Amino acid sequence: MDSKTLVELANKYGSPLYVYDTEKISSQYNRIINAFSKVKSVKINYAVKALSNINILKLFKQFESGLDTVSFQEVQLGLAAGVAPENIIFTPNGVSLEEIEEVAKLGVQINIDNLSILELFGQKHPEIPVCVRINPHVMAGGNSKISVGHIDSKFGISIYQVPHIKRVVENTGMHINGIHMHTGSDILDIDTFIRASEILFDVATQFENLDFIDFGSGFKVPYKEGDISTDIEQLGKQLSKRFNQFCKDYGKDLTLMFEPGKFLVSESGYFLAKVNVIKQTTSTVFAGVDSGFNHLVRPMMYDAYHHITNISNLTGRERYYSVVGYICETDTFGTNRRINEITEGDVLCFHNAGAYCFSMASNYNSRYKPAEVMIYNGQDYLIRERETFQDILKNQVTIDIS
Ligand SMILES: *Cc1c(COP(=O)(O)O)cnc(C)c1O
């Protein structure tokens, strides 16, 4: 998106503001579809938690995408967006049997990631087909905060416990219709992915009546210049071939599934915030914006890098800044960044703000959550109003204290 349009949007809708360019979402979606065009049946389930505005979900419905959900509420959002229950998969972690039953009742595909729940569910509902989440114990990336496939991870059922899964299936008469893995949010190379896939194929051969294999996600997108990103075209080439071979050996055309979040929406998002103050200390020049980790927590929570540009001054000379928020805690968006000279009142743009940005926003410091705007067919649409003071007080119960 060009900077001039973004500044205009910040003026029109106010700041801070999230803007999503749906053309980018569409092109990322098509990249995956094209990369796997040689596989007979491919299904993408967009991971709702990355960006859960109902209009974004409606967009994915229009693409004929399914949804990957992790809570009953995300399932409800998907249904409210018009997505059919059979196009939704529920992949929670650590939720109660009751919540899984509630979701199953709606006709949503259940994915179970621990043995005790599998056994309880199988005993009560042997007629409902279930997918199992396997932990292949493959280390994806180096950051344990976002790698969920390794040995100490709380996610999935260990491949070493597959015999136990089979015993549960035998004892309960339940039907396993899918095998799933999700090795975390930072798969760096295709070899790691293929290695994990081989383990999954190996597990899959041990179950007779599968309909699909779900390879999860963890696809990487560039956040800054020089970042490696998942070469989806190369992965498509390698995995399609292997998958087709597997289906042949298995004797049935299974559906190949993915559930990307970040890959589909990260680059579509722009977070716009206005500079309130420039503050010079003995060692640093701070640019303080009208936002903080209440609106964009990834830099503080994951040390995530979000590229920052001054879209109000595209030609000014570059200077070094630390960009910080207005929260009464340390909330640094970026240190020592080279940014075109900043004047108070300028609008800064935080890139890659589509995934895990608004969806992780809070009301800390009793601030309003930002508004959201979606660019669709060249038009801008307000898809979430900025909160008001009523929202801050909502659900608070005033008791009589005199
Ligand atoms: C979060 C999540 C995803 C999406 O991960 P990305 O890194 O955003 O692609 C997929 N599957 C499951 C089970 C998840 O929890």
Side-chain angles (χ1 to χ4, degrees), residues 47 49 68 70 91 133 180 182 185 217-218 259-262 356:
K49 73 178 188 289
D68 175 71
V70 295
T91 306
R133 179 172 183 171
H180 167 275
H182 171 63
S185 286
S217 176
E259 47 192 36
K262 190 184 277 181
Y356 308 105

Side-chain angles (χ1 to χ4, degrees), residues 208-233:
E208 269 168 18
N209 241 321
L210 297 180
D211 297 319
F212 64 91
I213 302 180
D214 187 335
F215 294 88
S217 176
F219 300 150
K220 225 174 137 49
V221 293
Y223 276 69
K224 58 174 181 287
E225 229 175 282
D227 264 1
I228 347 166
S229 55
T230 303
D231 186 344
I232 203 84
E233 289 73 21

Side-chain angles (χ1 to χ4, degrees), residues 95-391:
V95 308
S96 66
L97 177 65
E98 289 72 28
E99 184 169 342
I100 293 174
E101 287 176 315
E102 284 295 305
V103 172
K105 235 189 275 169
L106 298 170
V108 167
Q109 171 71 51
I110 302 298
N111 187 1
I112 292 183
D113 99 325
N114 78 74
L115 276 165
S116 74
I117 295 275
L118 186 73
E119 188 176 286
L120 290 173
F121 192 89
Q123 284 183 77
K124 283 178 84 175
H125 313 283
E127 75 290 354
I128 300 178
V130 162
C131 171
V132 283
R133 179 172 183 171
I134 299 294
N135 183 346
H137 303 306
V138 168
M139 194 63 182
N143 186 341
S144 65
K145 272 190 189 164
I146 42 181
S147 299
V148 294
H150 56 89
I151 197 98
D152 270 341
S153 165
K154 67 165 185 165
F155 298 97
I157 303 172
S158 167
I159 34 164
Y160 303 113
Q161 292 174 310
V162 169
H164 196 160
I165 299 177
K166 285 163 70 180
R167 181 191 294 266
V168 169
V169 170
E170 232 167 75
N171 288 344
T172 59
M174 70 191 304
H175 168 203
I176 302 298
N177 67 342
I179 301 286
H180 167 275
M181 72 167 183
H182 171 63
T183 52
S185 286
D186 252 21
I187 289 208
L188 287 174
D189 58 294
I190 291 170
D191 288 345
T192 312
F193 204 96
I194 297 288
R195 199 147 43 89
S197 305
E198 284 303 334
I199 295 168
L200 214 58
F201 286 133
D202 195 48
V203 173
T205 49
Q206 302 179 57
F207 294 87
E208 269 168 18
N209 241 321
L210 297 180
D211 297 319
F212 64 91
I213 302 180
D214 187 335
F215 294 88
S217 176
F219 300 150
K220 225 174 137 49
V221 293
Y223 276 69
K224 58 174 181 287
E225 229 175 282
D227 264 1
I228 347 166
S229 55
T230 303
D231 186 344
I232 203 84
E233 289 73 21
Q234 185 58 31
L235 179 68
K237 232 182 242 169
Q238 282 180 240
L239 187 58
S240 297
K241 204 165 149 216
R242 182 64 187 91
F243 186 81
N244 288 339
Q245 184 58 48
F246 173 82
C247 290
K248 225 172 175 184
D249 298 343
Y250 190 77
K252 180 180 175 189
D253 279 320
L254 302 184
T255 298
L256 187 161
M257 282 190 190
F258 285 115
E259 47 192 36
K262 190 184 277 181
F263 186 85
L264 292 169
V265 298
S266 172
E267 294 165 286
S268 79
Y270 302 86
F271 181 55
L272 311 179
K274 214 164 242 179
V275 176
N276 281 338
V277 287
I278 297 289
K279 184 178 207 172
Q280 196 134 7
T281 66
T282 45
S283 61
T284 307
V285 184
F286 288 102
V289 297
D290 61 351
S291 181
F293 68 59
N294 49 334
H295 299 152
L296 177 59
V297 77
R298 297 188 74 254
M300 303 81 185
M301 190 155 150
Y302 300 117
D303 288 329
Y305 181 99
H306 283 264
H307 189 54
I308 305 170
T309 52
N310 181 0
I311 53 174
S312 296
N313 180 14
L314 296 175
T315 51
R317 69 188 166 132
E318 291 181 333
R319 304 193 62 178
Y320 288 93
Y321 295 94
S322 282
V323 178
V324 294
Y326 62 10
I327 291 293
C328 293
E329 296 201 33
T330 302
D331 59 347
T332 306
F333 289 109
T335 48
N336 228 19
R337 295 293 184 88
R338 261 176 80 168
I339 301 172
N340 290 357
E341 185 152 15
I342 302 173
T343 315
E344 288 167 1
D346 283 354
V347 179
L348 299 191
C349 176
F350 298 74
H351 298 253
N352 283 73
Y356 308 105
C357 292
F358 186 92
S359 64
M360 294 178 104
S362 76
N363 288 112
Y364 188 48
N365 278 204
S366 296
R367 294 286 187 181
Y368 307 146
K369 286 189 201 159
E372 291 179 293
V373 165
M374 171 165 139
I375 312 294
Y376 178 67
N377 285 341
Q379 294 254 40
D380 51 285
Y381 297 91
L382 184 67
I383 56 169
R384 186 189 302 266
E385 289 177 19
R386 190 176 307 287
E387 286 184 328
T388 64
F389 187 60
Q390 295 311 314
D391 296 304

